Amino acid sequence: MAKNYYEILGVDKTASKDEIKKAFRKLAHKYHPDKKDGDADKFKEINEAYTVLSDDQKRQQYDTFGQSFAGGQGGGFTGNWEDIMRQSGFDFSGFTNQGGFSAEGFDLGDIFGEFFGGGRRSGRVKRGRDISIDIELSFEESIFGIEKAILLNKVSVCQTCEGSGAKKGTEMKTCETCNGRGTIRELKRSIFGSIEMTRACETCSGTGKTPKEKCPICAGLGVFKKEEEIKIKIPAGIEHGEMVKLAGAGEAIKGGASGDLYIKIHVKNHKIFRKAGNDLIMNLEIKLSDALLGAKIDVQTLDGLSTLDIPEGTSNGDILRIKGKGVPQGRSRGDILVNVKVIMPKKLSKSARESIQKLKEEGI
């Protein structure tokens, strides 16, 4: 059956882009392959669903045509043809080890793809390997966002030949293996007889051209492994454990698209603050006299010192607010919520004791 991307992400068909993004982040964190209980196949399925539903045009096409739309992963029908044929009363038992034909290891999707177009292999663009890394951020970097430059040792497009595989200044020639078609035709035996199948030419990687002289840097491959600097823009307010995806920043492959780079974020704890949505929470100890009489206290924030008004009669556990000093959100910011802790004196001077005794007598 075709995949239901909404069910994969656990959202309704009417879900907003923010709801889809939130669902993707939660599931990506849960099933990331680097986690102990991660699931690489599930992770790829989640990413596939998000890639479609987060793009307005692809989502509209998917809602109209289902997974067979042009922007889908399969490029055509992706169901299980054997199951469909069996449900239609077709018996495959007569085709096993009879007349020299065996159904074992035979991909019926390839066969039906030839008849109905867009089989699972036809039209599929080759992709380079995805890469997953971890980055540690300070608490301040996670709150305000930051651009980081990292070095990755990965397969990248050769800059000397710009991915062509040809020595600079030399020409390309027609591939002798596929005669410039970029594809190889093969005859395969099937339950319907011999069927002509098409696959990408491995010699020219589907381009139909090969270099007359190979690039000395990549040996004609168009790609090679090297150390490359990647700039990663971390958005403000990112959560611990969230993933950042850089499309096309994974490993390159000749004749295909580069894979993606997935960055898992680890945020260090702060000695004063903890994050709660767009607000920051902190504890503040004050003297009993300040709680009773009120005071103005300078409080350390992520932007520097801010003055906090302590109202008269503040109680232990009261929450005071410093506006606009929390987590950035668009053009606005959250607040700092100050949890007041009133320090009770362990010893009293004689005059302090007399003053408190007087307050007690007055019923205060």
Side-chain angles (χ1 to χ4, degrees):
M1 295 178 63
K3 298 176 183 178
N4 187 321
Y5 290 147
Y6 292 101
E7 288 185 1
I8 290 172
L9 294 182
V11 297
D12 294 331
K13 195 172 181 179
T14 57
S16 65
K17 293 185 74 171
D18 287 341
E19 290 173 331
I20 290 171
K21 183 177 181 181
K22 185 177 180 181
F24 166 72
R25 287 183 172 180
K26 182 179 179 181
L27 292 172
H29 175 56
K30 180 179 179 180
Y31 291 107
H32 190 270
D34 287 347
K35 293 180 68 67
K36 182 179 179 182
D37 300 323
D39 187 325
D41 292 336
K42 186 70 175 176
F43 183 79
K44 289 181 180 179
E45 187 178 55
I46 293 165
N47 181 60
E48 178 183 327
Y50 178 68
T51 300
V52 173
L53 298 185
S54 62
D55 185 289
D56 292 337
Q57 184 176 357
K58 289 182 179 180
R59 182 178 180 180
Q60 183 180 9
Q61 292 177 335
Y62 172 75
D63 290 341
T64 304
F65 303 108
Q67 197 187 5
S68 61
F69 78 104
Q73 295 293 317
F77 184 80
T78 59
N80 188 321
W81 286 103
E82 285 192 45
D83 289 344
I84 295 174
M85 294 297 285
R86 286 194 177 98
Q87 291 170 10
S88 301
F90 196 94
D91 184 7
F92 285 89
S93 60
F95 294 92
T96 303
N97 295 326
Q98 295 187 21
F101 174 78
S102 172
E104 182 179 355
F106 200 85
D107 190 349
L108 291 172
D110 286 341
I111 299 173
F112 287 96
E114 292 295 316
F115 289 120
F116 300 102
R120 279 179 291 178
R121 292 184 183 178
S122 62
R124 173 174 287 182
V125 178
K126 293 191 298 182
R127 290 185 74 254
R129 188 174 67 89
D130 291 340
I131 301 175
S132 179
I133 62 172
D134 294 68
I135 287 183
E136 187 174 60
L137 302 178
S138 68
F139 189 81
E140 289 83 354
E141 288 173 339
S142 74
I143 297 300
F144 297 114
I146 191 173
E147 184 175 85
K148 280 186 171 289
I150 62 169
L151 289 176
L152 284 181
N153 192 22
K154 68 184 185 75
V155 177
S156 303
V157 174
C158 177
Q159 297 300 316
T160 302
C161 66
E162 298 180 343
S164 69
K167 183 179 179 180
K168 194 170 183 179
T170 61
E171 298 179 352
M172 303 291 286
K173 64 179 181 178
T174 301
C175 175
E176 296 177 356
T177 303
C178 65
N179 293 322
R181 290 190 299 268
T183 56
I184 301 294
R185 296 182 180 274
E186 297 176 333
L187 285 176
K188 287 189 177 182
R189 297 188 62 191
S190 74
I191 57 178
F192 303 105
S194 295
I195 294 181
E196 188 179 79
M197 310 293 289
T198 303
R199 63 175 175 84
C201 176
E202 296 178 359
T203 303
C204 64
S205 300
T207 63
K209 299 287 185 180
T210 56
K212 288 185 176 180
E213 292 186 59
K214 293 181 179 179
C215 171
I217 304 300
C218 64
L221 297 176
V223 295
F224 73 105
K225 198 164 189 177
K226 66 173 184 176
E227 193 172 62
E228 184 176 342
E229 183 179 85
I230 305 291
K231 290 185 178 181
I232 304 170
K233 189 173 182 179
I234 307 296
I238 196 165
E239 299 280 355
H240 176 82
E242 277 196 82
M243 301 285 295
V244 175
K245 174 186 172 183
L246 265 65
E251 294 202 327
I253 186 171
K254 186 178 180 182
S258 296
D260 300 327
L261 174 62
Y262 293 90
I263 305 102
K264 186 176 182 180
I265 303 299
H266 301 269
V267 181
K268 294 180 182 178
N269 291 328
H270 196 275
K271 61 181 180 180
I272 297 176
F273 300 104
R274 65 183 186 276
K275 189 170 176 286
N278 293 320
D279 294 328
L280 300 177
I281 300 176
M282 65 173 290
N283 295 327
L284 179 66
E285 293 183 344
I286 64 172
K287 296 182 294 183
L288 176 61
S289 58
D290 289 336
L292 292 172
L293 303 175
K296 292 183 181 293
I297 298 177
D298 287 334
V299 175
Q300 185 65 50
T301 72
L302 297 180
D303 302 277
L305 293 177
S306 289
T307 301
L308 176 65
D309 287 327
I310 307 295
E312 291 184 12
T314 296
S315 300
N316 187 66
D318 281 355
I319 303 296
L320 304 180
R321 187 181 300 268
I322 303 176
K323 292 185 177 182
K325 297 296 182 180
V327 182
Q329 185 185 31
R331 297 182 179 180
S332 62
R333 288 181 65 174
D335 303 326
I336 295 179
L337 306 180
V338 182
N339 184 19
V340 176
K341 303 290 183 182
V342 179
I343 303 173
M344 300 302 293
K346 294 182 179 180
K347 291 183 179 181
L348 295 174
S349 64
K350 183 178 179 181
S351 59
R353 184 179 293 275
E354 290 174 353
S355 298
I356 294 175
Q357 182 63 38
K358 186 175 181 180
L359 291 174
K360 183 178 180 181
E361 291 172 357
E362 294 177 358
I364 298 177

